[in-house]
Amino acid sequence: MRYLSTRDKLVRVTAAEAIAKGLSDEGGLFVPEVLPSLSEGQIQSMCAMRYQQRAVYIMSAFLKDFSAAELTEFATKAYSDKNFSAPQIAPLKTLTGDTWFLELWHGPTSAFKDMALQMLPHLLTASLQKTGETRKVCILVATSGDTGKAALEGFCDVDRTKILVFYPQDGVSDVQRLQMVSQSGGNVGVSGVVGNFDDAQTGVKQIFGDPVLKHVSSAAGYVLSSANSINWGRLLPQIVYYVSAYCDLVQAGRIALGDPVNVSVPTGNFGNILAAFYAKKMGLPINKLICASNENNVLTNFIRTGTYDRNRPFHNTLSPSMDILVSSNLERLLFALSGESDVITAAYMAELNKTGRYTVTPQIKREIDQIFWADYCDDEKTKKVIYATYRKFGYLIDPHTAVAFDVLNHYRHDTGDNTPAIVVSTASPYKFADSVLDALGQWGREEGLELIDRLASVTGTIPPMPLLGLKGKRVRFDQVIYKEAMPQAVMDFLK
Ligand SMILES: *Cc1c(COP(=O)(O)O)cnc(C)c1O
């Protein structure tokens, strides 16, 4: 199976090329030329499988240039019991009869990015080999918090790779910063950047566009690459947990095979919910995709009106991993809903680039209405939901998950559709211990890692091991630089 660019369908590459390149030359994203279908019989046969086998089953359908043996090796390594503290890898928790939380944060960094970033390094290094690339790869990441640490863990000591992460000095939580600056591994680097996430991201984008740096890194034996969520190798592993969750519900007798479920996803860059969209298109019985945002509600407006408009104030919220105004993966949705038109997709992206906004055709809007529903939840309400969920069910959720839960409740209230629903839980509450304590009315004098102990003692819950383990860790990377110094930092790193 070939992959096409969303902006030029004449670009046709293999899966390995799509993963090795990340982004097509003219700026488009790679998408499979046909979406494999998933029959009821196939879903049934996956019900008896373990998570790792389900991953191989789904991924093989997309990665024809990878052997089953290869993918089995990758899945076994990525979703090992060393990396994941839950044997089911992505377990479901039931609160009430028809609402389940899909916990995607039992991996090494306690956020859902691990589901993809434990797999990506295997796919990427194999893809480089398959495409005849002889240079090593240097991954550059700008992070608003969760991606950086997850990428560091994923690529830590992976053969033929180096990884350098830039985080904004003002813009990551204490726990997130400590997770990164204490990262182990001989091939890793971490640097703070003065400014906010946009500064760090702009810096990395400039580096990718800098011909001199490209040349210098190549001379040093490296090809520069990114681990962000536009890479197909990051999106694909995310389809797996939707299928897996459905299988688990069938297996547990909660639903019958073929029954519909709704899915509510806390959304930022549109990667997670796009994976659910692909799962639905493949044949998984998902009824409605509920897109949940925080006060940066550009996607709520888009899904409700058909106009995407990034010209608006940016808010720092309690759910920082969703503080995004341009959701890159939306491009893949536009391509799918425009009848796979590269011309229409490219035109929207050009308009977005030029004016910061675009409006889709009535036809596309109708398709969106059939598949999606959207709303948002502000910080005050987020705290209330964390508090109420804990009081009512004894279940602790993080701010991102709270946003998704709240928006599911809006949906049920507004539409009367009470189809059983999966709320996608994207981070451990301990990763955002400060906000969660505040929501519970238990704000104390603690800071940094002390917050983890306090949340544990207040709630009697157990923190994830990797976060507890941060305590004894030494700070390895205390450098903070100006944005202008980022290219030099890359050159030093490659020496
Ligand atoms: C990245 C992230 C999200 C947003 O996911 P997208 O794929 O960017 O939509 C939500 N919650 C958490 C905790 C995250 O780290």
Side-chain angles (χ1 to χ4, degrees):
M1 180 174 31
R2 295 280 162 157
Y3 284 73
L4 317 174
S5 163
T6 49
R7 296 189 201 177
D8 182 357
K9 286 207 282 194
L10 294 178
V11 174
R12 286 164 54 89
V13 300
T14 62
E17 283 167 331
I19 294 169
K21 280 178 79 85
L23 194 68
S24 185
D25 288 332
E26 79 299 324
L29 309 188
F30 290 115
V31 287
E33 73 183 331
V34 278
L35 214 51
S37 64
L38 209 51
S39 68
E40 216 167 89
Q42 286 173 307
I43 297 172
Q44 182 157 41
S45 68
M46 265 187 283
C47 284
M49 295 182 188
R50 302 182 58 216
Y51 190 90
Q52 295 81 347
Q53 296 168 303
R54 291 171 182 166
V56 174
Y57 196 100
I58 301 283
M59 293 193 348
S60 320
F62 286 91
L63 304 176
K64 294 296 181 197
D65 36 348
F66 289 67
S67 70
E70 262 179 311
L71 293 175
T72 303
E73 184 201 323
F74 300 164
T76 309
K77 284 186 179 161
Y79 306 119
S80 69
D81 55 8
K82 183 176 132 286
N83 286 336
F84 283 80
S85 61
Q88 313 90 318
I89 306 301
L92 284 159
K93 287 282 153 67
T94 314
L95 284 208
T96 60
D98 58 1
T99 307
W100 303 282
F101 285 73
L102 176 60
E103 295 183 349
L104 300 179
W105 41 263
H106 292 279
T109 78
S110 309
F112 99 98
K113 303 287 193 290
D114 289 329
M115 301 303 300
L117 279 164
Q118 284 298 315
M119 177 57 75
L120 179 69
H122 300 293
L123 294 176
L124 184 65
T125 47
S127 296
L128 288 170
Q129 224 141 39
K130 286 178 201 294
T131 55
E133 178 61 66
T134 51
R135 290 168 294 179
K136 292 182 254 185
V137 57
C138 175
I139 305 287
L140 300 180
V141 181
T143 183
S144 59
D146 290 335
T147 302
K149 178 60 181 179
L152 286 164
E153 277 295 326
F155 282 95
C156 169
D157 290 332
V158 171
D159 215 24
R160 299 189 50 190
T161 72
K162 277 190 135 191
I163 172 163
L164 179 57
V165 171
F166 295 102
Y167 70 88
Q169 194 185 20
D170 337 310
V172 299
S173 77
D174 277 358
V175 173
Q176 287 176 320
R177 190 181 53 79
L178 285 165
Q179 279 187 303
M180 290 187 275
V181 297
S182 63
Q183 177 67 42
S184 59
N187 64 337
V188 305
V190 177
S191 174
V193 176
V194 177
N196 59 24
F197 173 60
D198 251 356
D199 295 309
Q201 188 167 46
T202 311
V204 166
K205 277 190 184 153
Q206 278 167 1
I207 291 169
F208 280 121
D210 183 341
V212 175
L213 218 68
K214 197 170 175 177
H215 182 76
V216 171
S217 29
S218 188
Y222 284 92
V223 49
L224 299 178
S225 183
S226 101
N228 65 24
S229 68
I230 55 176
N231 193 309
W232 182 254
R234 247 188 88 174
L235 206 56
L236 178 55
Q238 299 185 349
I239 298 175
V240 176
Y241 50 73
Y242 288 103
V243 180
S244 181
Y246 190 88
C247 289
D248 283 346
L249 289 174
V250 172
Q251 194 71 353
R254 304 274 186 178
I255 56 172
L257 187 66
D259 283 355
V261 294
N262 289 337
V263 174
S264 182
V265 188
T267 299
N269 217 8
F270 211 77
N272 201 349
I273 196 168
L274 183 72
F277 168 78
Y278 283 137
K280 175 177 166 66
K281 276 196 71 172
M282 288 168 73
L284 194 69
I286 296 177
N287 175 31
K288 213 63 168 183
L289 296 172
I290 300 164
C291 176
S293 303
N294 61 28
E295 273 180 282
N296 295 296
N297 55 2
V298 55
L299 286 168
T300 309
N301 295 153
F302 171 65
I303 288 170
R304 293 194 160 203
T305 67
T307 296
Y308 194 96
D309 190 352
R310 63 153 300 172
N311 304 303
R312 59 179 69 218
F314 176 86
H315 302 284
N316 282 307
T317 73
L318 297 181
S319 42
S321 302
M322 294 150 68
D323 290 345
I324 281 180
L325 293 182
V326 177
S327 303
S328 321
N329 267 303
L330 198 59
E331 178 167 348
R332 287 188 165 110
L333 181 75
L334 296 172
F335 182 78
L337 298 186
S338 63
E340 313 216 319
S341 166
D342 49 355
V343 178
I344 294 177
T345 309
Y348 290 154
M349 292 302 113
E351 257 181 85
L352 180 66
N353 216 355
K354 208 168 124 207
T355 66
R357 68 198 299 273
Y358 58 86
T359 301
V360 297
T361 61
Q363 163 86 34
I364 295 179
K365 176 65 172 69
R366 273 197 299 278
E367 295 236 17
I368 290 175
D369 288 340
Q370 278 192 2
I371 302 167
F372 291 92
W373 194 86
D375 207 347
Y376 73 102
C377 168
D378 66 19
D379 280 356
E380 275 318 301
K381 190 69 192 295
T382 301
K383 286 198 262 183
K384 283 196 185 129
V385 171
I386 294 172
Y387 179 78
T389 308
Y390 181 67
R391 285 305 296 263
K392 195 160 168 203
F393 304 104
Y395 184 61
L396 208 54
I397 52 178
D398 97 291
H400 303 77
T401 309
V403 166
F405 190 26
D406 188 50
V407 171
L408 171 66
N409 290 330
H410 297 185
Y411 171 78
R412 284 179 163 163
H413 181 264
D414 284 12
T415 64
D417 173 8
N418 284 311
T419 303
I422 295 171
V423 175
V424 179
S425 177
T426 50
S428 158
Y430 279 90
K431 201 152 184 184
F432 301 93
D434 46 357
S435 309
V436 173
L437 279 166
D438 184 21
L440 299 180
Q442 296 286 352
W443 188 275
R445 268 194 300 277
E446 294 81 0
E447 41 183 49
L449 298 177
E450 294 163 7
L451 293 163
I452 290 175
D453 291 338
R454 178 157 175 98
L455 187 55
S457 72
V458 164
T459 60
T461 55
I462 301 169
M465 276 312 284
L467 294 182
L468 275 180
L470 282 176
K471 273 190 202 154
K473 286 249 174 103
R474 188 171 62 83
V475 171
R476 290 182 66 201
F477 306 100
D478 52 8
Q479 150 177 303
V480 178
I481 61 175
Y482 286 100
K483 187 173 83 183
E484 293 68 28
M486 288 171 65
Q488 188 60 46
V490 174
M491 288 194 240
D492 293 345
F493 183 63
L494 291 179
K495 266 183 198 150

